[in-house]
Amino acid sequence: MPRPSASEVLVEVRAAGINPGEVIIRSGGLHDRYPATFPSGEGTDLAGVVVATGSDVTRFDIGDAVLGYSWARSSHASHVVVPEYQLIAKPEQLAWEVAGALDVAGTTAVAAVRAIAAHPGEVIAVSGASGGVGTLVTQLLVRQGALVLGIASTASAERLSAHGAAPVPYGPDLADRLLAAGGGNVDAFIDLYGPEYLHLAIDLGITPDRIDTVVYSDAAVALGIRMAGAASLPDQEIPEVLQALADLLAAGELELPIAATFPLERVIDAFEQLEHGHTPGKIVLIPHQKN
């Protein structure tokens, strides 16, 4: 059992989301940024109950429900210690699985929306619009008064429409169909899928400063395209962003769909489902759930 230091909190984890970036970390694809020294943990998102606190902790007591994140890649566990500042109080109305999947998707969505600086009435295309991040990006842009062109599969059209977006299925002649849906114009582009969409955005006549991708690629560097994701938010701002998103979710003003939940001992199955792609929402581990 881990023990908290003076400024740390020990959390019994009730839910922990998994993210596409963690698949890349597991493959070694981000070794320069996140080197693995085995045994190595995994997982950033978390929600749970405080079971112990360090001597300097003042904001939380034993029994408090919290959500937050671990920079130590350690949330896929039954218990985890995290610094006090990386946690906020979980709203009572917020479901555990949503709370435990919020951090990476939520902060990535906020950073991407800020990066393209949308204005009311603008037309914004979003690739990967039906995923966990894409769902939040779509809703945040709609709340700002933008017309969102949600690029996803035809199976996602109804969900995108329910969130106020205009669904545009990917496939041949996508540029023409985006322009038709946007009334002949697309002002900005948020890419949540991959570099092929960056060239599409340029072909649509969008300037690089109005394009953001959360997927690092040589193409993005070469084209001078923004790469604002969760890591672009200052540490001191993340709790405020999480609290605002958690309150909106608890009030039913935002939705973060949960595609599947798995008990912790089935973490391999959870990652396999994520790696298949086209997941309509978040996949979440429930450490104290049994088969």
Side-chain angles (χ1 to χ4, degrees):
M1 181 65 64
R3 294 183 178 181
S5 68
S7 61
E8 291 180 326
V9 176
L10 174 62
V11 179
E12 180 184 85
V13 180
R14 298 291 177 86
I18 64 174
N19 297 284
E22 287 149 10
V23 174
I24 303 173
I25 291 172
R26 288 177 60 239
S27 75
L30 291 175
H31 183 71
D32 290 342
R33 188 182 304 178
Y34 301 113
T37 303
F38 296 105
S40 180
E42 189 71 309
T44 299
D45 301 334
L46 67 98
V49 176
V50 175
V51 292
T53 61
S55 58
D56 293 342
V57 172
T58 59
R59 293 174 46 237
F60 301 110
D61 295 316
I62 293 173
D64 286 350
V66 295
L67 67 91
Y69 59 98
S70 166
W71 282 142
R73 304 207 314 271
S74 58
S75 70
H76 295 172
S78 63
H79 295 77
V80 61
V81 290
V82 291
E84 179 184 23
Y85 76 88
Q86 293 176 196
L87 297 170
I88 65 168
K90 182 186 86 68
E92 184 177 356
Q93 300 88 343
L94 190 60
W96 281 113
E97 60 268 26
V98 175
L102 179 57
D103 173 65
V104 170
T107 54
T108 301
V110 168
V113 168
R114 287 182 181 179
I116 55 106
H119 300 290
E122 286 195 313
V123 180
I124 316 295
V126 179
S127 63
S130 65
V133 177
T135 299
L136 289 175
V137 164
T138 295
Q139 294 171 91
L140 292 172
L141 288 171
V142 169
R143 288 175 64 86
Q144 292 183 5
L147 169 59
V148 179
L149 308 180
I151 304 169
S153 67
T154 54
S156 302
E158 186 175 343
R159 288 195 306 276
L160 288 169
S161 296
H163 288 137
V168 181
Y170 50 72
D173 303 316
L174 179 56
D176 292 339
R177 290 185 287 111
L178 286 169
L179 288 171
N185 177 63
V186 181
D187 296 295
F189 201 111
I190 293 178
D191 167 53
L192 307 173
Y193 186 80
E196 61 265 37
Y197 283 106
L198 306 184
H199 295 287
L200 171 65
I202 294 293
D203 290 344
L204 288 168
I206 305 170
T207 57
D209 64 310
R210 299 301 310 279
I211 305 169
D212 183 64
T213 181
V214 302
V215 183
Y216 177 86
S217 69
D218 292 338
V221 175
L223 293 168
I225 286 168
R226 297 175 182 271
M227 289 182 282
S232 67
L233 292 181
D235 281 355
Q236 64 270 22
E237 192 176 352
I238 293 176
E240 179 183 346
V241 168
L242 286 179
Q243 191 68 65
L245 291 171
D247 289 343
L248 287 170
L249 287 160
E253 296 183 36
L254 286 181
E255 179 193 12
L256 178 58
I258 305 300
T261 62
F262 290 83
L264 184 60
E265 59 266 29
R266 290 185 58 203
V267 62
I268 293 174
D269 296 333
F271 269 99
E272 285 182 348
Q273 179 166 327
L274 180 64
E275 289 166 18
H276 286 317
H278 304 288
T279 304
K282 295 286 294 182
I283 297 175
V284 183
L285 299 172
I286 309 295
H288 297 278
Q289 172 183 322
K290 301 300 181 182
N291 285 309

